[in-house]
Amino acid sequence: MAEIELRNVRKHWGDFVGVDDVNLKIADEEFVVFLGPSGCGKTTTMRMIAGLEDPSGGEVIIDGEVVNDVDARDRDVAMVFQSYALYPNMTIFENIRFPLRMRGVPKAQHVELVKRAAEMVELGDYLDRKPGALSGGQRQRAALARAVVRQPDVFLMDEPLSNLDAKLRSAMRVQIKHLQRRLKITTVYVTHDQVEAMTLADRIVIMNGGAIQQIGTPDEIYSNPANTFIAGFIGSPPMNLIRGRVEGGTFIAPGVKVEGIDAESGRAVTLGVRPEDCHLNSAPAEMTGIVFGIEPTGDQTLVSLRTDDDLFEIRADRDFRAPLDTTAHISFDRDRLYLFDGVSGERLR
Amino acid sequence: MTQSAATSEGTAISAVPSLRRRRRSPFRRKLFPYLLVAPAVIYLLMITLYPGVYAIYQSFFFVTFTGWVPAGFENYTNLLRDREFWAALWNTLVIGGISLALECVIAMTLAFYAYRDPFIRGWRIIFLMPMLFMPSAVAFIWKLAFNDGRVVSDLLMQLGLISENIDFLGDVWNARLTLIVADVWQWTPFLFIIFVAGLQAQDKEIEEAARLDGASWPAIFWNISLPLMRPVIAVAVILRGIDITTMFANVFIITQGTPGGATETISYFIYRMGFRTFNFGYASAASALMLIFTIIVAQLLLKRFFRSGRA
């Protein structure tokens, strides 16, 4: 049970600014994902919540109490590390029991609590092994069990799935989400993988360059990106961003012409179209390009088109095939177009 | 560009049809690496293996000034009956063992406090100092401090801890203590540096995880860092242990084995047999026995520590 609040939190090392003035409120039992490219400050922000890093300024508040000066071991926070950080000299049982021992939980309860935590992550058979004898996925589950065994106030996860292969990753994703719903523990999850963010989060916090770019539910972020950075980061494949200008209500870029754009003439803008909002057309329409590559994924076909100076990706039917260098005409879903300022990248429409 | 380069090269080759691919004989190919390391190996053999083999050979003879008389295993059987030999072995174990234990504990304690310190580079240089002095010079300093100059006694008297001079070399345990202090002073830094490096090499995330699990620094050290240091400790103890069994300079300069042979280590015993009584065969036999002991102990330690140290 805990609310987390960050008030004007900053972190810098000398002149280097890692996290710049972050304000954020995380509700009790909420699952929040920090999403951003590497070096954007998401992990540093999480480490400040954990108490592993001291903020250079601002306040970290857990359950109404400013915890800036509270040592990491005295915040009731559990963390799952990217490297799992299991204790190699202990068996899995000892690993999971360690937080109980250190926090003075009565010995009589240890065995039962450890067993219950291990069962939650389906790890019961491996308790007497050492971490070195487990696979990556099993280690990951052991790390999860160690975090949940003492029912912490806050759950922090630092890219916990990035060392797993794709199949295991999606399986563990479901497990983590299920576990969080069941235990009702406030969770902060750091990742650079937008699929993880979209599937897991109640709310996503997108960070770049040490600052928060946008906070919102996955749906909000997907359908209302605040700027070109977010638009280009979310979605797989991401939104197509076309740099061009507006002339008399028409957006013009090499190979692209979209009428009815509501912006003053001569303004540099960036037009955003998601790949699924583009449709192959038999007659010339908003865009014309030549086929650069075809990537069938089974349920759909991703088509890369080349315009004069850009590559453009659209989503086509699963049975679409075309030889390279064929000319293709594309129409856009007119009410699903995004318009960004050409200079600042901020959303205009 | 690469393509055009490849074509021009291709035409060049076809223009010289007589170009033959040379093959080295497999024998020469295998020999070459050995040739490269040969100088070093020969040098090593000359300065270690030859004297070693020579000493073992010599140990089967009574060596006198007039010639070598074959002795069979008699040097060895005499040694095993020699109370002075066993006393020297015991002294080596006691003095070496206590020194080594103290060095380990002190070095590990210092390392625990120092390894997270931002000034650690500075500490390392300061702690390294004693190791840089010449052992014989250090031995003379300690001899002055404990015996000839009575510095230690004086200090203790000033502090009011004792009332009269202590004759450090007149008492069995005081004399041994002198050797232990000298060795600990000079060699703790060696272990300290190894231990600091070992602790610093440990995964920081494991420490952080333990921190969040609620462990204090001492708890992290006892439960995680120290167990993970086992292989490092094993290597350090073996290196230092081998060194300590050959402790000679301090004994030679400070105590000369007094009082009553209570500080005579095996090295000093061998020296005395060889260069004082000129019983070279006997001294060689003692060296050979010591070599066997050391190898056995080192092997046992290594096996034990590394087997259980594996994750």
Side-chain angles (χ1 to χ4, degrees), chain A residues 133-173:
Chain A
L134 297 189
S135 70
Q138 289 163 342
R139 281 184 224 180
Q140 180 56 62
R141 277 183 291 193
L144 267 178
R146 186 177 66 185
V148 300
V149 70
R150 65 188 160 92
Q151 302 271 349
D153 279 347
V154 178
F155 223 3
L156 304 177
M157 302 194 197
D158 185 9
E159 311 222 8
L161 304 183
S162 55
N163 288 351
L164 303 180
D165 62 62
K167 200 173 161 192
L168 208 51
R169 206 177 309 169
S170 59
M172 285 303 294
R173 220 160 54 203

Side-chain angles (χ1 to χ4, degrees), chain B residues 189-230:
Chain B
F190 175 72
L191 295 178
F192 170 79
I193 283 165
I194 293 181
F195 291 163
V196 164
L199 286 169
Q200 283 181 326
Q202 287 186 355
D203 187 354
K204 292 282 167 299
E205 283 201 340
I206 288 184
E207 266 174 24
E208 288 174 349
R211 211 79 198 114
L212 289 171
D213 280 344
S216 60
W217 282 114
I220 293 174
F221 183 74
W222 277 115
N223 290 293
I224 297 158
S225 304
L226 199 56
L228 291 181
M229 286 284 282
R230 277 178 78 115

Side-chain angles (χ1 to χ4, degrees), chain B residues 39-70:
Chain B
V41 170
I42 291 168
Y43 172 72
L44 267 178
L45 290 182
M46 260 164 42
I47 63 164
T48 61
L49 197 66
Y50 172 70
V53 171
Y54 185 81
I56 290 169
Y57 176 68
Q58 197 179 40
S59 70
F60 294 104
F61 290 89
F62 296 122
V63 179
T64 64
F65 289 110
T66 51
W68 290 23
V69 181

Side-chain angles (χ1 to χ4, degrees), chain B residues 139-151 167-169 253-254:
Chain B
F140 270 112
I141 291 170
W142 285 110
K143 190 184 183 190
L144 272 173
F146 274 107
N147 199 45
D148 304 1
R150 305 203 156 161
V151 181
D167 180 7
F168 274 100
L169 300 190
I253 289 164
I254 303 177

